[in-house]
Amino acid sequence: RKEVEQDPGPFNVPEGATVAFNCTYSNSASQSFFWYRQDCRKEPKLLMSVYSSGNEDGRFTAQLNRASQYISLLIRDSKLSDSATYLCVGGISGGYNKLIFGAGTRLAVHP
Amino acid sequence: NAGVMQNPRHLVRRRGQEARLRCSPMKGHSHVYWYRQLPEEGLKFMVYLQKENIIDESGMPKERFSAEFPKEGPSILRIQQVVRGDSAAYFCASSPLSGANVLTFGAGSRLTVL
C-alpha cells in the first residue's frame, strides 16, 4: 500500500466550478501535510500547508482529519490557470522533514 | 536569489554510461534533498544530505547510485552504468534548517537513457 494515496483523475471541470481532491495517508508518523502544485514538466511548488483546524487561502481550502488519516483540498471558482497536477504530501519529522509525495491528481479546467 | 539551480536540465546517456546531476542549493541553505519522478508517478525520496554528510539515503538504490554534498561546490547525484529504467526527472530541493517544513525545488534534471 502506498504511503500517500490520491485519485489520479483527471478531473475535467468547467471554469467557475468547485472541485475537491482527497488524499489518504497510511503512515501515522506523518506529522505535517501539504498540497503542492506541479505544472507539466515543471518542479513542484508549495500551494499550502494543511492543518487540523483547516486553512483557507483565497479560493483554496485545505483540511486534515488525523483520526481518518484523510486530507482534502477544495478549489472554488476554478480558473483555467488552475490546470495542473496537485500533489498531496506528508512530512515525517525525525530531526528533519522527509516529504512523502502522493502520485498526484490531475486537474483540467476548460472554458 | 537564484533559487535552487540544477544542471544539466536535460541529459541523454546510452546504457552503461555514467550520469552526473548537479544541484546548487539556494543561498543560505545547507540541506539538500534529491527526489526522483518516474513518468506518471509521484516524487520518490532518494537521499538527504548536509554539507559533507549523508544523513538519510534510505531511498537510494543499493547499487550504481551515489550522492555527495562537498564542503565547496554543488551536490552531485551520480548514476553509474545507467539502464533504461533510470530515465526519469531528478529533482533537488533545499532548505535552510533540518526541520524546515518547506522545501524549495529546482527545475529538475531530465535523464533519458537510450
Side-chain angles (χ1 to χ4, degrees):
Chain A
R1 184 185 173 187
K2 294 180 181 177
E3 289 190 75
V4 178
E5 295 214 55
Q6 298 182 247
D7 180 342
F11 285 64
N12 293 299
V13 303
E15 275 186 288
T18 295
V19 61
F21 303 142
N22 303 319
C23 164
T24 57
Y25 64 95
S26 59
N27 191 334
S28 57
S30 295
Q31 297 183 5
S32 51
F33 300 90
F34 312 90
W35 284 99
Y36 275 71
R37 169 189 169 135
Q38 187 174 27
D39 292 288
C40 187
R41 302 185 69 77
K42 301 278 190 178
E43 73 273 25
K45 294 182 179 178
L46 178 68
L47 179 65
M48 59 197 305
S49 301
V50 189
Y51 307 114
S52 296
S53 55
N55 51 307
E56 187 173 314
D57 183 2
R59 297 181 294 108
F60 299 82
T61 301
Q63 189 73 50
L64 164 65
N65 184 323
R66 288 190 186 273
S68 303
Q69 297 189 207
Y70 173 93
I71 302 154
S72 64
L73 176 68
L74 184 75
I75 305 175
R76 290 180 298 279
D77 189 23
S78 299
K79 311 291 186 192
L80 294 176
S81 57
D82 294 335
S83 298
T85 297
Y86 290 83
L87 307 173
C88 178
V89 184
I92 300 174
S93 295
Y96 68 97
N97 204 15
K98 180 176 176 179
L99 299 185
I100 307 298
F101 284 79
T105 298
R106 194 177 305 171
L107 172 65
V109 182
H110 56 82
Chain B
N1 193 334
V4 179
M5 303 301 292
Q6 289 189 247
N7 68 83
R9 293 291 309 279
H10 301 276
L11 182 63
V12 179
R13 285 287 178 266
R14 296 191 181 279
R15 281 180 296 171
Q17 292 184 319
E18 179 179 288
R20 281 187 182 233
L21 309 177
R22 289 176 291 279
C23 169
S24 296
M26 283 184 71
K27 187 176 180 181
H29 288 193
S30 58
H31 301 262
V32 166
Y33 304 73
W34 284 94
Y35 283 78
R36 175 166 67 173
Q37 187 173 32
L38 295 171
E40 305 301 321
E41 293 190 16
L43 280 77
K44 295 287 190 289
F45 170 81
M46 298 183 76
V47 62
Y48 162 55
L49 311 103
Q50 296 176 20
K51 284 283 187 181
E52 299 185 278
N53 285 304
I54 298 174
I55 307 302
D56 181 349
E57 55 182 347
S58 59
M60 290 279 271
K62 292 289 183 283
E63 298 175 344
R64 303 187 296 107
F65 284 71
S66 62
E68 62 176 5
F69 189 14
K71 186 177 179 181
E72 301 291 337
S75 175
I76 307 266
L77 180 67
R78 181 184 180 204
I79 311 171
Q80 296 177 287
Q81 298 175 313
V82 296
V83 300
R84 290 218 173 103
D86 296 333
S87 296
Y90 291 84
F91 290 99
C92 170
S94 71
S95 70
L97 301 168
S98 61
N101 281 332
V102 178
L103 299 186
T104 302
F105 282 86
S109 291
R110 281 180 168 70
L111 172 66
T112 301
V113 180
L114 301 177

